[in-house]
Amino acid sequence: MKNLKHMDILKLDRRSFLKLAASMGAATFLGTYKADIVRALELSGTNVVWLEGADCCGCTESFLNATYPDVIQAITKLSVHIGYHETLMMQQGVFVDGRLVGTSELNSELALEEYMTGEKPLDVLVIEGAIADGPEGSGMYTTVGGNPFKEMVQRCAAKASYVVAFGMCATYGGIPAARGSVTDNMGAQFLQTTKGGTLGADYTSGAGLPVVNIPGCPAHPDWIMLTLAAIILGKGGLIELDRYNRPTAFFPPDNTIHENCPKRGFYDLGQLATDFGEYEKCLWKLGCKAPYTHADCAIRKWNNQLNMCTQAGSPCIGCVQPGFPDSTSPFYVEMEKVPTLVGVDINTIAKAAIGAAAIGVGAHAVRRIAMKEE
Ligand code: SF4
Ligand code: SF4
């Protein structure tokens, strides 16, 4: 990336930048700073490689739902060069006379090789999907074109200025690493709540950062767009991470979704749904995990700032919390009946919350207990 220091937006200090990223949706943020960002992106020609391992592609679909810039704008107008993306790229490894085409324009394996060898600069590596380690550390349970996905991740990460793990699978292992998995899947730098993962606890990218974890199943398109914008604008080094490597701007350690839930008024009044479809009630008794889920869903909203899970009548399932889905399941069971939840004493929370809700006052008790991650 070229030097972009003359850009006005770069004069923002760390606090202001984080505040902006936290308080604005991507559409507003990117719209407000459109001129700077477009100019920065045009100058930067940022190379992005997006790898997909053990995943359902849902995070790519979420990314495709971004509104401004949408993916087409990002690729074609804003000079973000997505050099490799298994779902979006044009290259197919086309055969001519029985042989693979020998140019990176048509052959995806050659295109990727150019980034892995450093022939082309790799500014941002995005990882989607868990990374198989088995059998016996070979990584052969997940291959792309016959190559272990694990090796692709390691080789790209060795050359990347920034590495962003996008979605629960790539961050902490997610569903592919859940109880019963036989493929030794893991996240890029974590396995569930333990640091390590495929790249190891001590890994740092070329810019000196660990893997930036953007969890969620799927992750919100704003979270990746704003993270990419920060990196492209030269603010990547200012991304403040929590102990699970999540940007605190989107996953505030001192705040949970419960704080700003649209159904919070029902909770405070002790009006708790006991069956699905009781729309004008709180979803606590139906298993809502939002009181100890750290994300800005209730402020940022989903589907183009339209709604969110609890607003649509579905209890939060804690899909951004390390250890998901094992640590927050069964999803639709009251919290005190769930055996383990990451960093939280269930019995304490359940008693405080149920007590508070039952009498209709003092609901902040649960907030005080649950909002702080251990
Ligand atoms: S995190 Fe969830 S939505 Fe994203 S790829 Fe994994 S399973 Fe799919
Ligand atoms: S328990 Fe869930 S549904 Fe009820 S107010 Fe909190 S976040 Fe909203």
Side-chain angles (χ1 to χ4, degrees):
M1 284 183 279
K2 292 174 189 168
N3 187 347
L4 305 172
K5 281 195 175 129
H6 62 283
M7 309 301 294
D8 282 344
I9 196 170
L10 294 182
K11 289 179 185 160
L12 291 175
D13 60 22
R14 175 198 185 99
R15 203 187 155 106
S16 310
F17 185 83
L18 291 173
K19 210 169 151 190
L20 273 173
S23 61
M24 291 180 169
T28 313
F29 180 89
L30 299 177
T32 305
Y33 294 99
K34 183 175 172 181
D36 281 351
I37 290 167
V38 169
R39 200 166 149 216
L41 290 169
E42 280 170 353
L43 285 171
S44 72
T46 305
N47 283 328
V48 177
V49 164
W50 187 305
L51 299 178
E52 282 182 74
D55 72 330
C56 76
C57 205
C59 286
T60 283
E61 287 186 36
S62 179
F63 177 60
L64 290 172
N65 282 332
T67 44
Y68 184 83
D70 65 26
V71 176
I72 300 298
Q73 286 172 321
I75 294 171
T76 60
K77 292 186 182 166
L78 303 181
S79 198
V80 170
H81 178 64
I82 299 190
Y84 184 92
H85 189 307
E86 280 141 23
T87 304
L88 303 178
M89 66 190 172
M90 308 281 261
Q91 298 100 323
Q92 299 291 321
V94 182
F95 283 85
V96 174
D97 294 336
R99 286 179 304 167
L100 280 171
V101 170
T103 68
S104 58
E105 282 72 35
L106 292 172
N107 186 329
S108 57
E109 281 186 35
L110 292 180
L112 187 60
E113 195 66 23
E114 290 178 351
Y115 294 103
M116 287 172 165
T117 58
E119 194 178 321
K120 281 186 183 167
L122 206 181
D123 298 313
V124 186
L125 168 64
V126 179
I127 304 169
E128 177 181 357
I131 304 149
D133 203 57
E136 295 167 1
S138 68
M140 287 301 287
Y141 280 145
T142 300
T143 60
V144 178
N147 302 311
F149 182 64
K150 173 186 174 182
E151 193 180 299
M152 293 164 69
V153 168
Q154 288 170 328
R155 289 185 68 199
C156 285
K159 298 291 180 190
S161 298
Y162 294 91
V163 178
V164 179
F166 189 49
M168 181 51 71
C169 303
T171 51
Y172 310 113
I175 293 170
R179 205 175 293 129
S181 166
V182 294
T183 50
D184 298 335
N185 277 309
M186 51 183 67
Q189 203 167 18
F190 275 83
L191 174 56
Q192 312 292 18
T193 55
T194 306
K195 206 164 186 188
T198 299
L199 296 176
D202 298 329
Y203 169 82
T204 53
S205 62
L209 278 186
V211 174
V212 176
N213 281 336
I214 303 182
C217 192
H220 196 298
D222 272 17
W223 296 336
I224 184 107
M225 281 294 187
L226 287 166
T227 300
L228 290 177
I231 289 170
I232 288 163
L233 289 164
K235 295 284 185 184
L238 297 188
I239 298 171
E240 186 181 77
L241 303 177
D242 70 6
R243 71 188 179 107
Y244 296 117
N245 290 3
R246 294 176 294 187
T248 56
F250 314 131
F251 307 96
D254 295 336
N255 223 292
T256 68
I257 294 170
H258 177 70
E259 305 290 305
N260 296 293
C261 174
K263 292 187 185 290
R264 180 55 190 265
F266 300 124
Y267 175 89
D268 288 349
L269 292 170
Q271 296 175 355
L272 310 178
T274 53
D275 208 351
F276 291 97
E278 294 178 61
Y279 186 72
E280 297 200 345
K281 286 186 178 174
C282 159
L283 302 166
W284 170 272
K285 280 190 166 295
L286 297 176
C288 186
K289 307 297 188 295
Y292 33 76
T293 299
H294 295 259
D296 62 5
C297 298
I299 300 167
R300 190 172 301 283
K301 299 288 184 73
W302 287 71
N303 304 315
N304 205 7
Q305 291 81 51
L306 193 66
N307 62 2
M308 59 176 289
C309 297
T310 59
Q311 194 174 347
S314 171
C316 168
I317 58 172
C319 77
V320 299
Q321 287 303 105
F324 171 91
D326 291 341
S327 64
T328 65
S329 56
F331 296 148
Y332 305 121
V333 171
E334 264 182 80
M335 288 200 286
E336 76 268 28
K337 293 175 184 163
V338 178
T340 55
L341 270 160
V342 178
V344 177
D345 180 335
I346 304 303
N347 291 325
T348 311
I349 284 183
K351 275 180 202 152
I354 293 298
I359 58 174
V361 293
H364 289 281
V366 69
R367 178 175 62 186
R368 283 200 300 273
I369 295 165
M371 72 184 197
K372 200 83 181 162
E373 282 190 315
E374 296 297 320

